[in-house]
Short mmCIF file of all heavy atoms in Angstrom, two decimals:
data_model
loop_
_atom_site.label_atom_id
_atom_site.label_comp_id
_atom_site.label_asym_id
_atom_site.label_seq_id
_atom_site.Cartn_x
_atom_site.Cartn_y
_atom_site.Cartn_z
N ASP A 140 -54.02 -4.62 -17.37
CA ASP A 140 -53.54 -5.99 -17.31
C ASP A 140 -54.42 -6.79 -16.36
O ASP A 140 -54.51 -6.48 -15.17
CB ASP A 140 -52.09 -6.02 -16.83
CG ASP A 140 -51.45 -7.39 -16.95
OD1 ASP A 140 -52.15 -8.36 -17.35
OD2 ASP A 140 -50.25 -7.51 -16.66
N LYS A 141 -55.07 -7.83 -16.89
CA LYS A 141 -55.99 -8.63 -16.06
C LYS A 141 -55.25 -9.34 -14.93
O LYS A 141 -55.82 -9.60 -13.88
CB LYS A 141 -56.73 -9.64 -16.93
CG LYS A 141 -55.82 -10.69 -17.53
CD LYS A 141 -56.58 -11.65 -18.41
CE LYS A 141 -55.60 -12.68 -18.96
NZ LYS A 141 -56.17 -13.53 -19.93
N LYS A 142 -53.97 -9.64 -15.13
CA LYS A 142 -53.21 -10.35 -14.10
C LYS A 142 -52.88 -9.46 -12.92
O LYS A 142 -52.56 -9.96 -11.84
CB LYS A 142 -51.92 -10.90 -14.71
CG LYS A 142 -52.17 -11.96 -15.75
CD LYS A 142 -50.89 -12.39 -16.41
CE LYS A 142 -51.21 -13.32 -17.56
NZ LYS A 142 -50.10 -13.48 -18.47
N LYS A 143 -52.94 -8.15 -13.12
CA LYS A 143 -52.58 -7.23 -12.04
C LYS A 143 -53.80 -6.72 -11.28
O LYS A 143 -53.66 -5.96 -10.33
CB LYS A 143 -51.77 -6.07 -12.60
CG LYS A 143 -50.43 -6.55 -13.13
CD LYS A 143 -49.53 -5.43 -13.52
CE LYS A 143 -48.20 -6.02 -13.98
NZ LYS A 143 -47.23 -4.99 -14.24
N MET A 144 -55.00 -7.14 -11.70
CA MET A 144 -56.21 -6.77 -10.96
C MET A 144 -56.29 -7.62 -9.70
O MET A 144 -56.12 -8.83 -9.76
CB MET A 144 -57.46 -6.98 -11.82
CG MET A 144 -57.60 -5.96 -12.89
SD MET A 144 -59.16 -6.13 -13.74
CE MET A 144 -58.76 -5.32 -15.26
N LEU A 145 -56.53 -6.97 -8.60
CA LEU A 145 -56.54 -7.66 -7.32
C LEU A 145 -57.96 -8.05 -6.93
O LEU A 145 -58.54 -7.51 -5.99
CB LEU A 145 -55.90 -6.76 -6.24
CG LEU A 145 -54.49 -6.27 -6.56
CD1 LEU A 145 -54.01 -5.30 -5.50
CD2 LEU A 145 -53.53 -7.43 -6.70
N LEU A 146 -58.52 -9.00 -7.68
CA LEU A 146 -59.85 -9.53 -7.37
C LEU A 146 -59.66 -10.78 -6.52
O LEU A 146 -58.99 -11.73 -6.94
CB LEU A 146 -60.58 -9.94 -8.66
CG LEU A 146 -61.26 -8.86 -9.48
CD1 LEU A 146 -61.86 -9.47 -10.73
CD2 LEU A 146 -62.33 -8.17 -8.69
N LYS A 147 -60.22 -10.79 -5.32
CA LYS A 147 -60.09 -11.97 -4.47
C LYS A 147 -60.86 -13.14 -5.08
O LYS A 147 -60.43 -14.27 -5.03
CB LYS A 147 -60.58 -11.65 -3.07
CG LYS A 147 -59.66 -10.69 -2.35
CD LYS A 147 -60.23 -10.27 -1.02
CE LYS A 147 -59.37 -9.27 -0.32
NZ LYS A 147 -59.23 -8.00 -0.97
N GLU A 148 -62.00 -12.81 -5.67
CA GLU A 148 -62.82 -13.81 -6.37
C GLU A 148 -63.62 -13.09 -7.43
O GLU A 148 -63.81 -11.87 -7.35
CB GLU A 148 -63.73 -14.54 -5.38
CG GLU A 148 -64.63 -13.63 -4.58
CD GLU A 148 -65.39 -14.37 -3.51
OE1 GLU A 148 -64.79 -15.16 -2.77
OE2 GLU A 148 -66.61 -14.15 -3.43
N PRO A 149 -64.11 -13.80 -8.44
CA PRO A 149 -64.91 -13.14 -9.48
C PRO A 149 -66.16 -12.47 -8.90
O PRO A 149 -66.69 -12.90 -7.89
CB PRO A 149 -65.29 -14.29 -10.41
CG PRO A 149 -64.26 -15.34 -10.17
CD PRO A 149 -63.88 -15.21 -8.72
N ILE A 150 -66.63 -11.42 -9.57
CA ILE A 150 -67.81 -10.67 -9.12
C ILE A 150 -69.06 -11.47 -9.47
O ILE A 150 -69.27 -11.83 -10.62
CB ILE A 150 -67.84 -9.28 -9.78
CG1 ILE A 150 -66.59 -8.50 -9.36
CG2 ILE A 150 -69.11 -8.54 -9.40
CD1 ILE A 150 -66.41 -7.20 -10.11
N ARG A 151 -69.92 -11.72 -8.47
CA ARG A 151 -71.12 -12.53 -8.68
C ARG A 151 -72.40 -11.82 -8.29
O ARG A 151 -73.42 -12.47 -8.06
CB ARG A 151 -71.01 -13.82 -7.87
CG ARG A 151 -69.93 -14.75 -8.36
CD ARG A 151 -70.05 -16.10 -7.70
NE ARG A 151 -69.17 -17.04 -8.34
CZ ARG A 151 -67.96 -17.35 -7.91
NH1 ARG A 151 -67.50 -16.78 -6.82
NH2 ARG A 151 -67.22 -18.22 -8.56
N SER A 152 -72.37 -10.49 -8.18
CA SER A 152 -73.59 -9.78 -7.81
C SER A 152 -73.70 -8.48 -8.59
O SER A 152 -72.72 -7.96 -9.09
CB SER A 152 -73.58 -9.49 -6.30
OG SER A 152 -72.48 -8.68 -5.98
N PHE A 153 -74.92 -7.96 -8.68
CA PHE A 153 -75.18 -6.71 -9.38
C PHE A 153 -74.79 -5.53 -8.49
O PHE A 153 -74.65 -5.67 -7.29
CB PHE A 153 -76.66 -6.60 -9.77
CG PHE A 153 -77.10 -7.66 -10.74
CD1 PHE A 153 -78.03 -8.62 -10.39
CD2 PHE A 153 -76.56 -7.69 -12.02
CE1 PHE A 153 -78.43 -9.60 -11.28
CE2 PHE A 153 -76.95 -8.66 -12.93
CZ PHE A 153 -77.89 -9.62 -12.55
N GLY A 154 -74.62 -4.37 -9.12
CA GLY A 154 -74.31 -3.16 -8.37
C GLY A 154 -72.89 -2.68 -8.61
O GLY A 154 -72.21 -3.11 -9.54
N MET A 155 -72.44 -1.76 -7.76
CA MET A 155 -71.10 -1.17 -7.87
C MET A 155 -70.10 -1.98 -7.05
O MET A 155 -70.39 -2.36 -5.91
CB MET A 155 -71.11 0.26 -7.36
CG MET A 155 -71.76 1.22 -8.30
SD MET A 155 -70.78 1.44 -9.76
CE MET A 155 -70.82 3.18 -9.90
N HIS A 156 -68.95 -2.21 -7.66
CA HIS A 156 -67.86 -2.93 -6.99
C HIS A 156 -66.57 -2.15 -7.22
O HIS A 156 -66.32 -1.66 -8.32
CB HIS A 156 -67.71 -4.34 -7.56
CG HIS A 156 -68.93 -5.18 -7.42
ND1 HIS A 156 -69.21 -5.89 -6.28
CD2 HIS A 156 -69.96 -5.40 -8.26
CE1 HIS A 156 -70.36 -6.53 -6.45
NE2 HIS A 156 -70.84 -6.24 -7.64
N GLU A 157 -65.76 -2.05 -6.18
CA GLU A 157 -64.47 -1.40 -6.32
C GLU A 157 -63.41 -2.46 -6.58
O GLU A 157 -63.38 -3.49 -5.90
CB GLU A 157 -64.13 -0.59 -5.07
CG GLU A 157 -65.00 0.63 -4.92
CD GLU A 157 -64.46 1.63 -3.92
OE1 GLU A 157 -63.55 1.28 -3.16
OE2 GLU A 157 -64.95 2.76 -3.93
N VAL A 158 -62.56 -2.19 -7.58
CA VAL A 158 -61.52 -3.14 -7.96
C VAL A 158 -60.18 -2.44 -7.86
O VAL A 158 -60.00 -1.33 -8.35
CB VAL A 158 -61.74 -3.64 -9.41
CG1 VAL A 158 -60.63 -4.57 -9.84
CG2 VAL A 158 -63.08 -4.32 -9.54
N GLU A 159 -59.23 -3.09 -7.20
CA GLU A 159 -57.88 -2.57 -7.11
C GLU A 159 -57.03 -3.17 -8.22
O GLU A 159 -57.24 -4.31 -8.62
CB GLU A 159 -57.25 -2.91 -5.76
CG GLU A 159 -57.85 -2.17 -4.60
CD GLU A 159 -57.14 -2.47 -3.30
OE1 GLU A 159 -56.53 -3.55 -3.19
OE2 GLU A 159 -57.21 -1.64 -2.40
N ILE A 160 -56.05 -2.39 -8.70
CA ILE A 160 -55.14 -2.87 -9.73
C ILE A 160 -53.73 -2.38 -9.37
O ILE A 160 -53.54 -1.23 -8.98
CB ILE A 160 -55.56 -2.40 -11.14
CG1 ILE A 160 -54.64 -2.98 -12.20
CG2 ILE A 160 -55.62 -0.89 -11.23
CD1 ILE A 160 -55.16 -2.84 -13.62
N LYS A 161 -52.77 -3.29 -9.47
CA LYS A 161 -51.38 -2.96 -9.15
C LYS A 161 -50.74 -2.40 -10.41
O LYS A 161 -50.47 -3.12 -11.36
CB LYS A 161 -50.66 -4.21 -8.67
CG LYS A 161 -49.33 -3.91 -8.06
CD LYS A 161 -48.80 -5.11 -7.32
CE LYS A 161 -47.58 -4.68 -6.54
NZ LYS A 161 -47.27 -5.57 -5.48
N LEU A 162 -50.49 -1.08 -10.42
CA LEU A 162 -49.95 -0.39 -11.58
C LEU A 162 -48.43 -0.37 -11.57
O LEU A 162 -47.80 -0.26 -12.62
CB LEU A 162 -50.47 1.04 -11.61
CG LEU A 162 -52.00 1.18 -11.62
CD1 LEU A 162 -52.40 2.61 -11.40
CD2 LEU A 162 -52.56 0.65 -12.92
N HIS A 163 -47.83 -0.47 -10.40
CA HIS A 163 -46.38 -0.37 -10.21
C HIS A 163 -46.10 -1.02 -8.85
O HIS A 163 -47.02 -1.08 -8.01
CB HIS A 163 -46.00 1.12 -10.22
CG HIS A 163 -44.54 1.40 -10.15
ND1 HIS A 163 -43.87 1.55 -8.98
CD2 HIS A 163 -43.62 1.57 -11.13
CE1 HIS A 163 -42.60 1.80 -9.22
NE2 HIS A 163 -42.42 1.81 -10.52
#
Side-chain angles (χ1 to χ4, degrees):
D140 189 357
K141 66 182 181 188
K142 295 175 187 164
K143 294 188 178 186
M144 286 187 202
L145 305 175
L146 280 178
K147 291 174 183 64
E148 56 187 47
I150 299 171
R151 293 191 170 96
S152 61
F153 296 115
M155 286 291 226
H156 300 275
E157 290 195 347
V158 177
E159 290 184 335
I160 184 167
K161 192 167 189 160
L162 303 170
H163 185 270

